[in-house]
Amino acid sequence: MKCQELVELVTEYFEGALSDHDREQLEAHLADCADCTHYVAQMRETIELVSTQMADSVDATTVDHLLATFRSLTTGG
């Protein structure tokens, strides 16, 4: 797996939506790539910070819309 492929799959990775094969490939890449490991750690921290801030202030419909928009941006759809 190349770094760009990891970036394209990171949302599904965090959501637990990757196939076993893709998850294994992504995790194998992380084991060998310090830059991607750092990127995933930053994304995880950002998600945690944003979710704690948004939990009480944004309704579920808005969260669903934001997630769908982000997914379409990362998948090119």
Side-chain angles (χ1 to χ4, degrees), residues 1-7 25-41:
M1 173 174 288
K2 295 180 182 178
C3 296
Q4 181 61 37
E5 292 171 298
L6 181 136
V7 170
Q25 294 293 312
L26 186 142
E27 290 174 350
H29 180 85
L30 288 174
D32 291 328
C33 183
D35 290 336
C36 285
T37 299
H38 183 71
Y39 170 75
V40 168

Side-chain angles (χ1 to χ4, degrees), residues 18-61:
L18 288 178
S19 68
D20 289 341
H21 174 75
D22 285 344
R23 182 184 45 76
E24 290 167 5
Q25 294 293 312
L26 186 142
E27 290 174 350
H29 180 85
L30 288 174
D32 291 328
C33 183
D35 290 336
C36 285
T37 299
H38 183 71
Y39 170 75
V40 168
Q42 286 180 320
M43 290 295 291
R44 183 173 281 119
E45 183 176 345
T46 300
I47 290 167
E48 289 173 9
L49 289 171
V50 170
S51 9
T52 58
Q53 296 298 313
M54 291 179 60
D56 296 327
S57 62
V58 179
D59 63 87
T61 302

